[in-house]
Amino acid sequence: MDVFTVLAEPTRRAVLDLLAGGDRTAGELAAAAPGLTQPAVSRHLRVLREAGLVRVRVAGQHRVYRLDPAPLAEVDAWVDRYRRHWDGALDRLAQHLTDERDRS
């Protein structure tokens, strides 16, 4: 599945946000995400794994999940095209505010 399609789902983004704070088991993720059951978290983790956004390792009887940020480079490259626009717009706003301040 395409990284953009995977990230379009808010729950998967929330799971990634939790994993950005460190490795967790599915149970820990479910406990940290109110309203999500462990089976639902497991389904989202499967999709994230298939997209390459999450890695898993076995630790005893548990599977521990870790964020793999490498596929996010594609998203960053796409956003970068728009970041240039935002930077220019923010620079123009800063100049406008400076000009307004200087006139008063």
Side-chain angles (χ1 to χ4, degrees), residues 7 17 19 31 34 37 41 53 61-62 68 73 77 79 84 93 103:
L7 294 176
D17 287 344
L19 289 173
T37 63
V41 169
L53 289 161
Q61 293 182 337
H62 300 283
D68 183 350
V79 169
R84 291 184 198 122
L93 175 61
R103 280 183 242 184

Side-chain angles (χ1 to χ4, degrees), residues 39-75:
V41 169
S42 294
R43 285 191 297 274
H44 287 294
L45 286 168
R46 180 182 49 80
V47 173
L48 291 166
R49 261 192 347 266
E50 289 173 357
L53 289 161
V54 169
R55 301 272 181 222
V56 63
R57 68 178 165 79
V58 177
Q61 293 182 337
H62 300 283
R63 290 184 178 172
V64 181
Y65 296 88
R66 167 179 286 176
L67 173 68
D68 183 350
L72 294 174
E74 178 183 359
V75 175

Side-chain angles (χ1 to χ4, degrees), residues 1-103:
M1 191 179 292
D2 169 80
V3 172
F4 290 96
T5 302
V6 171
L7 294 176
E9 211 291 319
T11 303
R12 287 194 283 266
R13 289 194 310 269
V15 169
L16 285 178
D17 287 344
L18 290 169
L19 289 173
D23 299 0
R24 297 184 186 220
T25 65
E28 291 169 336
L29 289 166
L36 272 182
T37 63
Q38 188 164 342
V41 169
S42 294
R43 285 191 297 274
H44 287 294
L45 286 168
R46 180 182 49 80
V47 173
L48 291 166
R49 261 192 347 266
E50 289 173 357
L53 289 161
V54 169
R55 301 272 181 222
V56 63
R57 68 178 165 79
V58 177
Q61 293 182 337
H62 300 283
R63 290 184 178 172
V64 181
Y65 296 88
R66 167 179 286 176
L67 173 68
D68 183 350
L72 294 174
E74 178 183 359
V75 175
D76 186 53
W78 181 80
V79 169
D80 191 50
R81 291 184 288 167
Y82 300 96
R83 190 176 291 126
R84 291 184 198 122
H85 169 72
W86 298 329
D87 289 345
L90 290 173
D91 289 344
R92 289 189 300 278
L93 175 61
Q95 185 60 52
H96 172 74
L97 293 173
T98 299
D99 293 347
E100 287 294 312
R101 184 193 67 214
D102 291 347
R103 280 183 242 184

